[in-house]
């Protein structure tokens, strides 16, 4: 086997296993950053990069955020029997690429990247802008390529949906045949095992205890002085709609606003200093 054939075979195996990879290519004078996509290779969905007998005739491009780099990948959808009845979005998800939109997506993030951001956000308090900017600068800090267009909004949407889907999965809504739309009010909230609940963690006869011991079985609900709640105040929810409104800890906004209309004329209770 010649050196050229061996190199092409190695690139094919590399593309099959890791289509989003960056390496250095020797131009004859210096090393230059290159990708498998820049060499003309096309990733085939539905087969893990392998050959498809009836691929889609159109070759598309997708910007894939795969931590710590941003990649531009050429790919094709699968139209053979293996994925003929599978929608394009489902083919992307089966490939562990989460699309930024459901209509002709041009940006995706790998599942591993979304999981990494979730940990960075929870443990290190990193925000979306810093996370995406770090990936873009790691890819090309000069800003001389089209990949450096800031994809803050796309990743914000993907990470928010990712976190919401994981929360719904955690409370047992992931396998409901009716889907997430059938989630009722409060069904997405995680039960607090420390809170007193009759039939679960309260002893028999707790209602008959002496008055001085009743506080042991009282449910105390309080809201601390978390001033970050002001972030929920927005001028128009159309630009920032809630996911699963009312299914967790806050009430459903539409019915709550109808309820407030009955109490608009009332004056607020004033606080007086002595």
């Amino acid at each position: 086997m010649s050196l050229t054939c061996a190199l092409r075979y190695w690139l094919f195996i590399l593309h099959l296993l890791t289509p989003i990879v960056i390496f250095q290519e020797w131009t004859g004078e210096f090393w230059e950053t290159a990708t498998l996509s820049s060499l003309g290779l096309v990733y085939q969905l539905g087969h893990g990069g392998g050959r498809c007998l009836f691929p889609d005739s159109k070759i598309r491009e997708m910007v894939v955020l795969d931590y710590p780099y941003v990649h531009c990948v050429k790919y094709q959808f699968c139209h053979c029997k293996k994925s003929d009845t599978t929608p394009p979005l489902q083919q992307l998800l089966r490939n562990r690429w989460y699309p930024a939109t459901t209509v002709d997506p041009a940006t995706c993030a790998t599942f591993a990247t979304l999981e990494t951001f979730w940990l960075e956000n929870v443990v290190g308090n990193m925000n979306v802008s810093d996370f995406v900017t770090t990936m873009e600068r790691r890819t090309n800090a000069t800003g001389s390529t089209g990949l450096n267009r800031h994809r803050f909004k796309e990743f914000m949407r993907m990470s928010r949906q990712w976190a919401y889907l994981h929360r719904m999965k955690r409370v047992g809504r992931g396998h409901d045949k009716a889907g997430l739309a059938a989630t009722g009010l409060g069904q997405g909230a995680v039960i607090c095992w420390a809170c007193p609940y009759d039939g679960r963690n309260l002893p028999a006869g707790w209602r008959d205890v002496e008055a001085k011991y009743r506080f042991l079985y009282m449910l105390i609900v309080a809201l601390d002085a978390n001033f970050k709640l002001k972030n929920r105040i927005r001028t128009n929810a159309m630009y920032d709609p809630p996911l699963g409104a009312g299914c967790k800890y806050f009430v459903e906004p539409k019915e709550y606003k109808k309820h407030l209309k009955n109490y608009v004329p009332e004056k607020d209770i004033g606080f007086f200093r002595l």
Side-chain angles (χ1 to χ4, degrees), residues 50 74 150 156 181 201:
K74 295 179 181 179
H150 197 41
M156 172 68 81
N201 57 4

Side-chain angles (χ1 to χ4, degrees), residues 187-199:
Q187 290 185 353
V190 178
I191 297 176
C192 176
W193 296 104
C195 293
Y197 192 88
D198 191 16

Side-chain angles (χ1 to χ4, degrees), residues 46-225:
H47 299 265
R51 183 171 177 266
C52 179
L53 297 178
F54 300 98
D56 187 13
S57 59
K58 184 178 180 180
I59 298 178
R60 296 172 169 84
E61 288 189 355
M62 177 75 71
V63 175
V64 181
L65 283 77
D66 182 47
Y67 187 81
Y69 299 107
V70 181
H71 308 264
C72 183
V73 180
K74 295 179 181 179
Y75 71 99
Q76 287 177 302
F77 287 110
C78 173
H79 282 177
C80 69
K81 292 182 179 180
K82 184 175 182 180
S83 305
D84 186 31
T85 59
T86 305
L89 291 178
Q90 192 169 349
Q91 291 190 36
L92 291 172
L93 292 173
R94 286 182 176 179
N95 199 59
R96 301 182 69 83
W97 291 0
Y98 194 94
T101 178
T102 57
V103 181
D104 196 16
T107 304
C108 281
T110 62
F111 286 13
T113 301
L114 292 169
E115 186 69 20
T116 300
F117 170 73
W118 181 80
L119 290 174
E120 293 281 359
N121 178 255
V122 174
V123 179
N125 199 26
M126 177 175 284
N127 56 52
V128 172
S129 180
D130 292 343
F131 185 79
V132 175
T133 302
T134 301
M135 294 181 61
E136 292 170 347
R137 292 190 179 183
R138 183 73 181 273
T139 304
N140 188 341
T142 64
S144 58
T145 64
L147 291 177
N148 287 82
R149 183 181 68 82
H150 197 41
R151 288 174 174 80
F152 167 78
K153 292 184 179 180
E154 292 89 337
F155 195 81
M156 172 68 81
R157 187 184 308 117
M158 290 185 288
S159 61
R160 184 182 177 190
Q161 293 175 357
W162 176 267
Y164 170 72
L165 292 174
H166 270 259
R167 288 194 295 266
M168 292 296 102
K169 179 182 178 181
R170 183 177 59 184
V171 297
R173 302 296 302 170
H175 300 285
D176 194 319
K177 295 182 179 180
L180 292 180
T183 304
L185 299 179
Q187 290 185 353
V190 178
I191 297 176
C192 176
W193 296 104
C195 293
Y197 192 88
D198 191 16
R200 186 179 64 205
N201 57 4
L202 291 179
W206 66 272
R207 298 179 184 273
D208 302 325
V209 298
E210 300 181 25
K212 62 179 180 179
Y213 295 117
R214 290 178 183 175
F215 74 95
L216 296 175
Y217 311 107
M218 292 175 57
L219 175 62
I220 301 176
V221 181
L223 189 67
D224 63 358

